[in-house]
Amino acid sequence: MTTVNEDMEAQEEKSQLSVPSTSISLTATTSAYQLMSEIPTEDSQKFDLLSAHVWSEEDNEDILETPNKDEPKDEAPHQRPIWANKIEYLLAQVGFSVGLSTIWRFPYLCFHNGGGSFIIIYILMMFLVGIPLLFLEMAAGQRMRQGSIGVWKVISPWIGGVGYTSFMVCVIVGLYYSVLMAWNLFYLVQSFQSPLPWLLCPVSKNSSIDSECARTSPTTYFWYRKVLKAADEIETDGKPVMHLTASVLAIWLIICISMIKGPKSTGKMLYISVLLPYIILFSLLIRSLTMKGAYFGLKNLLATKVPALYSAEVWRRTGNQLFLSLGPGFGSFTAISSYIPRSNNCVIDAYAVAFLNLLASLTTTVFVFAVMGHLATKNNEKCYLMNAKRVMDLVIARVLTPEAHPPDSLNHDPSSIYPKWLNNLPEHIKSKILSNLTDCDLSKELNKVMIGPGVVIVTFSDIVSLFSGPTFWSIITFLLLVNLGLSTAIGIIQGIITPLQDTFSSLREHSKLLTVGVCVPMFLGSLLFVRPSGSYYVNLLDDYWVSLPLFFIVILETIAMAWIYGARRFLTDLSIMMGRPISPIYRWLWCFVSPFVLLVLFLSTLIHLSVKEITYLAWDSRTSHEVTRIYPSWAKALLIFFVIITVLPVPVYFFYTVIIRVASPVSMSHSTAIITFQPEAKGKSPTVGPRLQLRQKRQKIIKMDKPKTEGKLSVL
């Protein structure tokens, strides 16, 4: 990038733009020497201000350009609302990140992908990719003070469609995510009775147990037949289930009320929806650690399986869980950060969000493994007692001698007494007994209970039944899940409302009407997923669709910031904005490590979906069991359609930008933008910024400067 002569540039700026003495002006083509003149001399050596660009000078001049229509000269900018304090802002970020996928998926994946090895890989990827991406999205929103659509248009018009892709992902995920919350809300309402309705099979009028429930477990029957009223296959259609419709309506009413006054009302709700789950999680953790067999479950959790560290499949699953759990790509981090003053230290925020997310994941995992260890121990003791009864029957039938009779104290502590009794028997008696007994293996029992039901919510309903006072523990468990889902849903809807307000500034004056206008259509769209076959569509989107557009988004975001806008330039902007230097390690992570890891994960996920049959877990009413079915061809076509429709804005906006440049090359190539950082207001809200102002760049200056700067191109 060529350097414009300082004196001529300063003279031109004075004639075209008046800037307050306390503000800092940054241009898209700001040179190192020019920008250093804006900073105190003693600090100037801390910042390396040039960034690399892979395009021509004309492209670089245009990088921060916005159309004149976005900021009419005769209108004052709308005052942007802000979070009441840093705590509410941080709660919003943490609440969005720590969602249902953090609680539901992490323990299961940890058990089936190497235990401790999975945790090691997860933490490594969190530092190399997860935290840098959180920092990037938070910093972009904080610096540009816009949502996802506006931010990426400013970073580079060529990939301005990324914001629209994030917007569409938020819309589609918001539709089915509210249904996940509705399921938990229905369980919460049903928990206010004793005994819990899913602990016993229903009894008909003639006092006989329902035959369909008798062939399966009560918890599984309650889920498929009472909650979902599930169809046997995805092709079967039907009307929305009434109690789920009412639950979805309640969820959207809560979301709408929480967000109707913007950050002010949202922040107050977050004190409950974010802090309460951590209190409940801690309570559940303490209770689970006191249960018999918890130690065995934790021992299996901490056991590190070395082969898993070398498995590409384990790394792929870990990467998918990391991104689905942290939540980059939705644009919600960007939207939430756009309401915080620019001087905020978003580096610390990124680490805080990532570590609190990890803390929630590990706490839930310890809780689940402890409870599963208890359940495995309980089932193993049942196996011991059944074997003891069989031995007593053989003694009574005189097949075995009285010497083989089990001790009378066996019922008090089967886990310790049974192995001692069996090992102390004479070898000739022991060999006869073993041929008639079932093999009781605690590790095998743990595998059985960890596989358990195919649906996580059924697993949680099974877990609460193990506690004494299951009604109380059921209430707080599903209260935990509802609150986790609520805080994440608020973040998702924030990723819809903020871009709309930034794109159509007049909507900011009617924020209440906009919130209602978003929530009502979202509620109506959610009804598609509360039909008898609705859960199968939820699985199709959540298991197979959502990861692909999210990987696509974060790859383009990283490339745009690191290679198009310039990672070094962006870090410089942040250093000036926050008033402190930022480690250059992020430049290398954004430029090389993150794009490589993200590309590998994206391609491996794409290949995995291409070669694997996509399946769903369905209910077979004839056998009263869960069965795995293959999605029909039209469902696969629907999946491809959703992938294409969400990524389509990127190429469409790219070609739109090309057409605009071809149609008006003079205006596009001769204009550049100045970002004016106004001083933060000390009152209720900061000044609105950045104001993007257009100025014309004279060709004469460029021609005079080019011979002097040949060979002085900066590199990342």
Side-chain angles (χ1 to χ4, degrees):
M1 175 169 49
T2 60
T3 306
V4 182
N5 182 273
E6 181 196 2
D7 296 331
M8 300 185 69
E9 187 75 358
Q11 182 179 359
E12 180 185 4
E13 289 185 7
K14 289 179 181 179
S15 63
Q16 295 191 17
L17 180 65
S18 177
V19 181
S21 60
T22 56
S23 66
I24 300 174
S25 298
L26 302 178
T27 69
T29 55
T30 303
S31 65
Y33 185 73
Q34 174 191 354
L35 189 53
M36 292 301 291
S37 65
E38 304 277 356
I39 309 172
T41 306
E42 60 269 21
D43 295 333
S44 62
Q45 295 180 354
K46 294 181 182 179
F47 305 110
D48 188 3
L49 302 177
L50 285 177
S51 59
H53 297 281
V54 295
W55 293 344
S56 65
E57 181 180 18
E58 291 184 355
D59 295 324
N60 295 333
E61 292 172 359
D62 183 35
I63 236 163
L64 290 178
E65 181 181 11
T66 55
N68 287 325
K69 64 182 180 181
D70 289 346
E71 291 220 85
K73 296 180 180 179
D74 57 343
E75 292 183 12
H78 297 286
Q79 193 78 315
R80 191 176 190 85
I82 62 169
W83 296 102
N85 51 62
K86 177 66 177 286
I87 295 178
E88 291 185 5
Y89 161 74
L90 196 58
L91 288 176
Q93 298 284 29
V94 174
F96 167 71
S97 178
V98 181
L100 293 176
S101 62
T102 304
I103 302 297
W104 285 6
R105 287 194 175 118
F106 197 95
Y108 175 84
L109 290 173
C110 185
F111 179 79
H112 291 283
N113 293 277
S117 299
F118 174 84
I119 296 176
I120 293 173
I121 297 172
Y122 186 92
I123 294 175
L124 178 64
M125 294 188 72
M126 184 183 75
F127 278 102
L128 293 179
V129 184
I131 293 177
L133 285 177
L134 293 186
F135 175 37
L136 187 151
E137 291 199 349
M138 291 179 182
Q142 182 175 315
R143 180 185 185 275
M144 305 300 177
R145 304 300 296 276
Q146 296 188 54
S148 57
I149 292 178
V151 161
W152 299 108
K153 283 184 180 179
V154 170
I155 297 301
S156 171
W158 297 100
I159 58 131
V162 170
Y164 293 100
T165 296
S166 294
F167 178 86
M168 294 183 67
V169 169
C170 283
V171 171
I172 297 174
V173 172
L175 292 176
Y176 73 78
Y177 198 86
S178 62
V179 177
L180 300 181
M181 296 169 59
W183 295 343
N184 289 289
L185 180 62
F186 181 75
Y187 267 92
L188 175 61
V189 173
Q190 294 295 310
S191 297
F192 288 91
Q193 52 184 305
S194 182
L196 294 172
W198 57 82
L199 295 185
L200 301 172
C201 286
V203 179
S204 61
K205 293 181 180 180
N206 57 2
S207 300
S208 61
I209 297 177
D210 185 284
S211 59
E212 191 174 357
C213 180
R215 294 193 297 265
T216 185
S217 67
T219 52
T220 303
Y221 173 83
F222 182 82
W223 164 249
Y224 283 107
R225 305 308 288 169
K226 297 299 182 181
V227 179
L228 299 181
K229 296 190 180 296
D232 283 9
E233 52 190 16
I234 193 173
E235 290 88 350
T236 304
D237 206 351
K239 296 180 180 179
V241 179
M242 289 306 299
H243 60 263
L244 289 182
T245 301
S247 298
V248 170
L249 176 61
I251 290 296
W252 281 110
L253 282 175
I254 295 172
I255 294 173
C256 186
I257 294 171
S258 302
M259 304 187 67
I260 199 161
K261 291 185 178 180
K264 292 183 179 179
S265 61
T266 303
K268 303 301 179 289
M269 174 64 72
L270 292 172
Y271 281 106
I272 299 174
S273 63
V274 178
L275 295 180
L276 183 60
Y278 278 94
I279 297 173
I280 295 175
L281 265 179
F282 183 74
S283 302
L284 290 172
L285 176 64
I286 298 300
R287 177 66 183 89
S288 65
L289 292 177
T290 62
M291 302 175 74
K292 184 178 181 180
Y295 172 75
F296 176 75
L298 296 181
K299 186 173 68 173
N300 278 269
L301 167 64
L302 298 176
T304 301
K305 300 176 182 177
V306 177
L309 295 173
Y310 307 103
S311 171
E313 181 64 16
V314 171
W315 282 80
R316 184 190 68 80
R317 291 176 180 174
T318 307
N320 283 342
Q321 172 61 21
L322 176 70
F323 290 105
L324 290 175
S325 179
L326 287 180
F330 286 92
S332 297
F333 287 121
T334 303
I336 295 170
S337 298
S338 68
Y339 299 110
I340 195 74
R342 288 202 185 89
S343 58
N344 174 64
N345 190 342
C346 51
V347 180
I348 294 179
D349 296 340
Y351 277 91
V353 170
F355 276 106
L356 287 173
N357 183 287
L358 179 64
L359 176 64
S361 299
L362 292 179
T363 303
T364 306
T365 303
V366 171
F367 160 68
V368 170
F369 270 74
V371 173
M372 292 297 105
H374 167 73
L375 184 58
T377 302
K378 190 176 178 181
N379 290 343
N380 203 52
E381 288 183 345
K382 290 180 180 178
C383 179
Y384 287 158
L385 293 176
M386 289 178 61
N387 283 346
K389 185 178 182 302
R390 189 172 300 171
V391 171
M392 287 189 290
D393 291 341
L394 293 175
V395 171
I396 294 173
R398 300 183 181 275
V399 176
L400 296 175
T401 61
E403 188 181 1
H405 194 284
D408 296 333
S409 60
L410 183 63
N411 289 327
H412 297 297
D413 189 9
S415 295
S416 60
I417 296 177
Y418 179 87
K420 291 179 181 178
W421 162 71
L422 189 62
N423 291 330
N424 291 332
L425 288 174
E427 284 298 327
H428 65 283
I429 298 178
K430 185 178 179 181
S431 59
K432 291 182 180 180
I433 290 178
L434 290 177
S435 60
N436 294 280
L437 300 183
T438 304
D439 182 22
C440 299
D441 190 324
L442 192 55
S443 298
K444 292 180 180 179
E445 291 296 334
L446 182 63
N447 285 328
K448 291 179 183 178
V449 297
M450 285 301 296
I451 293 174
V455 183
V456 181
I457 197 169
V458 179
T459 302
F460 273 91
S461 62
D462 275 332
I463 287 175
V464 297
S465 65
L466 300 175
F467 297 146
S468 57
T471 298
F472 169 76
W473 292 106
S474 178
I475 291 172
I476 70 167
T477 298
F478 289 106
L479 186 63
L480 160 72
L481 297 176
V482 169
N483 277 278
L484 284 175
L486 178 62
S487 57
T488 300
I490 288 175
I492 293 173
I493 303 305
Q494 196 71 64
I496 298 173
I497 291 177
T498 299
L500 288 176
Q501 291 176 329
D502 293 335
T503 305
F504 308 100
S505 57
S506 59
L507 293 177
R508 198 171 297 281
E509 298 177 349
H510 310 284
S511 59
K512 295 181 181 179
L513 185 61
L514 174 62
T515 303
V516 175
V518 169
C519 291
V520 170
M522 293 290 285
F523 160 69
L524 296 176
S526 300
L527 297 181
L528 295 171
F529 300 101
V530 297
R531 298 174 301 157
S533 59
S535 62
Y536 306 143
Y537 290 93
V538 172
N539 293 336
L540 177 68
L541 296 176
D542 197 46
D543 293 344
Y544 300 107
W545 166 77
V546 69
S547 58
L548 288 177
L550 286 179
F551 278 131
F552 180 76
I553 290 168
V554 292
I555 288 172
L556 289 184
E557 286 180 354
T558 307
I559 293 175
M561 188 61 76
W563 293 99
I564 299 178
Y565 184 80
R568 186 178 297 176
R569 179 204 288 182
F570 186 61
L571 288 176
T572 297
D573 293 348
L574 297 180
S575 298
I576 298 170
M577 184 176 70
M578 293 188 291
R580 59 180 62 86
I582 299 175
S583 172
I585 187 65
Y586 295 104
R587 178 162 60 94
W588 299 105
L589 291 174
W590 288 338
C591 292
F592 305 108
V593 178
S594 294
F596 174 75
V597 174
L598 290 170
L599 188 60
V600 170
L601 288 173
F602 175 74
L603 293 177
S604 62
T605 302
L606 191 62
I607 293 172
H608 179 75
L609 292 179
S610 301
V611 300
K612 177 186 174 184
E613 290 283 359
I614 58 173
T615 60
Y616 65 101
L617 206 61
W619 177 251
D620 189 344
S621 58
R622 293 171 297 179
T623 61
S624 299
H625 285 94
E626 296 172 318
V627 294
T628 300
R629 302 189 190 276
I630 299 175
Y631 277 107
S633 56
W634 61 265
K636 299 176 184 177
L638 183 64
L639 176 65
I640 296 172
F641 170 77
F642 273 110
V643 172
I644 293 175
I645 201 67
T646 47
V647 304
L648 190 60
V650 174
V652 168
Y653 199 87
F654 175 83
F655 287 113
Y656 167 77
T657 305
V658 171
I659 293 172
I660 293 298
R661 292 177 69 90
V662 171
S664 54
V666 176
S667 62
M668 293 290 288
S669 62
H670 294 331
S671 63
T672 187
I674 295 179
I675 296 182
T676 303
F677 287 98
Q678 303 290 348
E680 297 288 357
K682 297 181 181 180
K684 295 182 179 180
S685 62
T687 55
V688 178
R691 293 288 308 278
L692 297 182
Q693 306 175 26
L694 299 180
R695 66 178 177 86
Q696 294 296 323
K697 198 167 192 178
R698 290 178 291 185
Q699 291 294 319
K700 181 179 178 181
I701 296 178
I702 298 175
K703 292 179 181 179
M704 291 176 63
D705 185 63
K706 279 185 178 178
K708 299 179 183 180
T709 57
E710 289 181 359
K712 295 183 179 180
L713 298 178
S714 62
V715 293
L716 286 167

